Amino acid sequence: MYFPSHYKKHKAVELTKPYLNGQSIGVLNDMPYGFRTVGNVGCGPLALYNAMRYKGLEPDFPKILRYMELAAAPFGAAFGTFPFSMGYCLRHFGIKNKMTLSYKKLSSSEACVIAYWTKRPIFGGGHFVFCVRQEDGTYLVYNRWSNVSEPRICKTLREVVKKHCLIVGYILK
């Protein structure tokens, strides 16, 4: 769906940090995303923004939100971003990627975007995160929790995504 008034509201918000974390705190919380807000269902656009930043691209968060409202958030983003749309959203903004359902492939990647079920599959709600593997083998996870403003360090991806809860992952190329 197209929400013409959202883009103007998005342009008025100034983002001060290079990477975005904590979608439900600060200025991100009240930014409109479809019929909802970034604070409620905006983890997908945050993951895309962080992936662009990581790849050295200049992300424009208002443009990301506008594109994803149109192309990746069915039903006016009532349920957030459709997990299987992230691959073409990444490509649209200049990031080559490979979709996978394999923890092993995700764990061996340098950087990835992951969609997973937060509790029970389907009924527990989903979440997107952007992950970067560090030199020591740990993972820096951006927007791990919506109410924490700093990235989280996790020893393994299983610490982020519990068994049987992975929806889909996108390995950045």
Side-chain angles (χ1 to χ4, degrees):
M1 293 185 100
Y2 182 56
F3 299 88
S5 64
H6 288 186
Y7 187 70
K8 193 172 191 178
K9 291 176 187 173
H10 297 156
K11 290 298 273 183
V13 175
E14 191 172 324
L15 302 174
T16 57
K17 292 187 176 184
Y19 286 90
L20 300 179
N21 283 288
Q23 71 191 60
S24 65
I25 56 176
V27 296
L28 296 172
N29 186 48
D30 297 323
M31 290 179 80
Y33 182 53
F35 291 122
R36 311 275 306 273
T37 65
V38 170
N40 295 122
V41 294
C43 53
L46 263 72
L48 176 56
Y49 179 95
N50 290 333
M52 288 181 70
R53 179 69 68 193
Y54 175 78
K55 290 303 262 181
L57 302 170
E58 267 310 310
D60 183 338
F61 198 53
K63 285 184 181 176
I64 290 169
L65 288 168
R66 181 175 58 188
Y67 179 77
M68 292 185 85
E69 280 178 338
L70 289 167
F75 311 112
F79 305 104
T81 304
F82 182 60
F84 295 96
S85 66
M86 184 58 76
Y88 65 79
C89 290
L90 287 163
R91 281 189 297 281
H92 176 82
F93 287 99
I95 300 174
K96 292 180 182 178
N97 65 88
K98 181 173 173 80
M99 185 179 86
T100 184
L101 302 173
S102 166
Y103 275 107
K104 187 175 181 179
K105 288 179 181 177
L106 287 169
S107 296
S108 65
S109 69
E110 183 181 309
C112 59
V113 173
I114 301 174
Y116 62 95
W117 301 113
T118 56
K119 295 178 184 157
R120 278 188 332 159
I122 300 172
F123 302 106
H127 191 55
F128 277 98
V129 293
F130 173 65
C131 305
V132 178
R133 187 164 38 102
Q134 304 294 292
E135 288 181 19
D136 64 358
T138 61
Y139 296 88
L140 195 56
V141 182
Y142 292 90
N143 200 39
R144 172 72 172 97
W145 290 294
S146 63
N147 62 350
V148 177
S149 64
E150 297 300 319
R152 167 91 174 162
I153 296 175
C154 296
K155 292 179 186 173
T156 67
L157 289 182
R158 286 272 187 217
E159 190 178 326
V160 179
V161 183
K162 304 299 182 215
K163 192 172 181 109
H164 306 298
C165 286
L166 177 66
I167 300 172
V168 66
Y170 298 92
I171 298 169
L172 305 189
K173 301 220 173 222

